[in-house]
Amino acid sequence: MLDIKTIRKDFPILNQKVNGKPLVYFDNAATSQKPKVVIDAITAYYQEINSNIHRGVHTLSQLATDAYEATRTKLKTQYNVKHIHEIIFTRGTTESINLVASSFTSLIKKDDEIIISALEHHSNIVPWQLLCDRTGAKLKVIPMNKIGELIISEFDKLLNKNTKIVAVSHVSNALGTINPIKEIIKKAHKFNAVVLIDGAQATPHMQVDFQDLDCDFYCASSHKMYGPTGIGFLYGKEDWLNKLTPYHGGGEMIKQVTFEKTTYADLPHKFEAGTPNIEAGIVFGEAIDYINKIGLDNIANYENELLVYATEKMLQIDGLKIYGTANKKASVISFNIGDIHPFDIGSIVDKLGFAVRTGHHCTQPIMAFFGIVGTIRASFSFYNTKEEIDAFVVALEKAKMMLS
Ligand code: 7TS
């Protein structure tokens, strides 16, 4: 059992009022709030050890390098990674996916096929379209059913000897569906296809084991995991990372440079050109420690309790329709009320202190599938409460009355 009252004290932002009302933060799928240990670690970094990393012999540079590399070690343990150099720091999920899609350019030919799914965020669609444009490869899409689950029998039909890459999300940001990625990975590997998993919405909510999944690549963002923005990671199997061409060229990613030829540094540095977001990399480690202190299994159980509770309460509102009712869901509820525009509901509940996202959630194909312009999305974290959900239902009733 989590002591939510005590946990909430770790998040200073939750105590404030917005528009004169106590803030209820239900936009966790967009970004999570930060505990005080994370906020304090940012100041401590700049006050105590700020310096560039991987290059100075001086003490501060050593301390900063050790602290930055300590986060890589934490990620290795967190996700059961075989080799530490299989963790590449990036700016986040978007950059991780672009890195892979871009680096694959020389390995993809016309007639090759790349499979994504109907549930992808734009950042797991557009980089693959760009790769197809560069190479002439074809993009295929695993369709979903009416409740927002991928149709795996259709995936079976798409797989063939031309399939080179399969890129799917672990959890959908728009509907909350938890995809059967282990099964997808196994099926793709039978055709020797590479599998990239977009884990942006999974890592804040559940334990993940990369070796058990056997994925070739996995991407995530710190800012959705209670850490700072501007940092995330790409996990890649050593063999694949060695085969790929670097994404960015510059300082720190080289062994030797002459005007005629450059040789690249060993992993992970080959993919880490330039000065990274040092502060965020270090502080990301604090966020991982914080999540582990609460326990990902505790988080998953409690958030599921919130999901079940909110689903039941919200469905009592006449005319409210939930999009995405998969059997396995993370704590995301996407919905509309009657024909009311989601933006109108979002604006009214904002005045009442509720932070939700409205619109297409960077998943326009999902909105097109349901024939809607967008939804209101409430996404819960372990610091949310059933009382907040009760208050949200009252606010929604009020908004509905005002707008009907
Ligand atoms: N993939 C998924 C599944 C996501 O939900 C997001 C961000 C990204 C990739 C991109 O992550 P970034 O950290 O590189 O931006 N999703 C959302 C969202 O649902 N609302 O705001 C951002």
Side-chain angles (χ1 to χ4, degrees):
M1 275 286 282
L2 296 179
D3 180 356
I4 307 303
K5 235 178 167 168
T6 307
I7 286 173
R8 286 178 68 85
K9 290 194 184 126
D10 293 338
F11 293 84
I13 205 169
L14 298 178
N15 289 324
Q16 67 172 305
K17 291 194 168 172
V18 168
N19 295 319
K21 309 280 184 204
L23 167 68
V24 174
Y25 189 76
F26 283 170
D27 196 17
N28 295 285
T31 199
S32 59
Q33 296 304 344
K34 319 303 170 198
K36 193 153 186 315
V37 282
V38 164
I39 300 167
D40 289 348
I42 295 172
T43 311
Y45 165 73
Y46 284 113
Q47 283 186 350
E48 292 161 23
I49 58 170
N50 173 49
S51 48
N52 213 327
I53 55 170
H54 298 137
R55 49 197 99 195
V57 289
H58 66 79
T59 304
L60 282 193
S61 175
Q62 282 297 330
L63 288 171
T65 303
D66 291 350
Y68 189 78
E69 289 303 322
T71 299
R72 207 189 303 267
T73 307
K74 282 175 194 175
L75 290 168
K76 175 181 185 287
T77 309
Q78 185 77 2
Y79 298 112
N80 187 26
V81 170
K82 198 166 178 187
H83 306 293
I84 188 144
H85 53 258
E86 293 177 317
I87 300 281
I88 313 289
F89 282 115
T90 63
R91 285 190 290 139
T93 307
T94 302
E95 187 174 62
S96 299
I97 298 170
N98 276 281
L99 186 163
V100 176
S102 192
S103 299
F104 256 98
T105 305
S106 61
L107 301 177
I108 298 294
K109 307 270 169 296
K110 194 174 161 294
D111 298 331
D112 284 347
E113 293 176 3
I114 296 165
I115 300 179
I116 59 170
S117 92
L119 282 172
E120 301 313 312
H121 185 280
H122 294 165
S123 67
N124 202 26
I125 301 173
V126 186
W128 305 113
Q129 289 174 329
L130 289 166
L131 175 60
C132 288
D133 289 347
R134 286 192 297 273
T135 59
K138 283 181 202 63
L139 194 69
K140 301 277 166 94
V141 183
I142 311 169
M144 66 167 150
N145 62 21
K146 283 204 175 84
I147 62 169
E149 292 172 335
L150 296 181
I151 306 170
I152 298 301
S153 56
E154 293 296 322
F155 176 50
D156 288 330
K157 291 182 202 157
L158 294 177
L159 281 166
N160 65 63
K161 65 176 182 10
N162 293 330
T163 310
K164 287 293 169 329
I165 300 173
V166 175
V168 288
S169 52
H170 196 164
V171 173
S172 156
N173 69 311
L175 306 183
T177 311
I178 301 175
N179 289 320
I181 56 166
K182 197 167 172 178
E183 187 186 353
I184 289 173
I185 293 163
K186 210 168 162 188
K187 284 176 184 288
H189 281 169
K190 286 206 174 114
F191 289 84
N192 295 319
V194 173
V195 185
L196 175 141
I197 304 296
D198 170 353
Q201 297 291 345
T203 49
H205 304 292
M206 60 186 77
Q207 201 85 49
V208 186
D209 180 327
F210 296 160
Q211 287 192 76
D212 177 58
L213 285 175
D214 198 26
C215 52
D216 301 289
F217 298 98
Y218 196 101
C219 315
S221 300
S222 148
H223 72 95
K224 296 194 198 283
M225 303 166 63
Y226 311 96
T229 41
I231 194 90
F233 68 87
L234 166 70
Y235 157 78
K237 280 185 186 162
E238 180 183 46
D239 283 354
W240 276 114
L241 290 174
N242 276 329
K243 264 183 234 168
L244 296 183
T245 322
Y247 174 47
H248 289 151
E252 292 303 302
M253 54 75 73
I254 57 92
K255 230 172 222 158
Q256 195 169 28
V257 178
T258 65
F259 287 120
E260 288 71 40
K261 188 177 165 55
T262 291
T263 49
Y264 306 126
D266 292 332
L267 296 173
H269 305 293
K270 174 179 154 187
F271 290 104
E272 294 182 350
T275 301
N277 192 338
I278 303 168
E279 150 246 312
I282 293 171
V283 179
F284 186 14
E286 288 290 336
I288 293 164
D289 291 344
Y290 183 83
I291 291 177
N292 289 337
K293 213 176 84 196
I294 297 179
L296 273 162
D297 288 341
N298 293 332
I299 290 173
N301 286 335
Y302 178 67
E303 288 178 347
N304 189 56
E305 211 179 298
L306 290 181
L307 174 72
V308 171
Y309 184 80
T311 304
E312 193 197 316
K313 292 278 164 180
M314 286 166 62
L315 283 174
Q316 286 169 15
I317 298 175
D318 198 29
L320 186 143
K321 177 171 179 188
I322 294 178
Y323 297 91
T325 50
N327 281 318
K328 289 194 173 164
K329 260 187 84 168
S331 49
V332 171
I333 300 183
S334 246
F335 64 97
N336 277 321
I337 302 178
D339 292 335
I340 305 171
H341 198 286
F343 180 79
D344 294 338
I345 303 254
S347 304
I348 291 180
V349 298
D350 171 56
K351 294 281 177 291
L352 301 171
F354 297 86
V356 290
R357 187 170 170 186
T358 61
H360 55 65
H361 316 296
C362 302
T363 56
Q364 287 181 356
I366 296 182
M367 302 302 129
F369 175 85
F370 288 112
I372 52 179
V373 290
T375 69
I376 305 142
R377 181 186 68 181
S379 51
F380 310 116
S381 162
F382 56 77
Y383 44 62
N384 292 128
T385 65
K386 289 184 183 166
E387 290 74 27
E388 287 180 319
I389 291 166
D390 290 339
F392 186 50
V393 171
V394 173
L396 288 175
E397 288 281 17
K398 199 167 174 177
K400 183 187 152 193
M401 220 165 63
M402 286 169 73
L403 294 163
S404 326

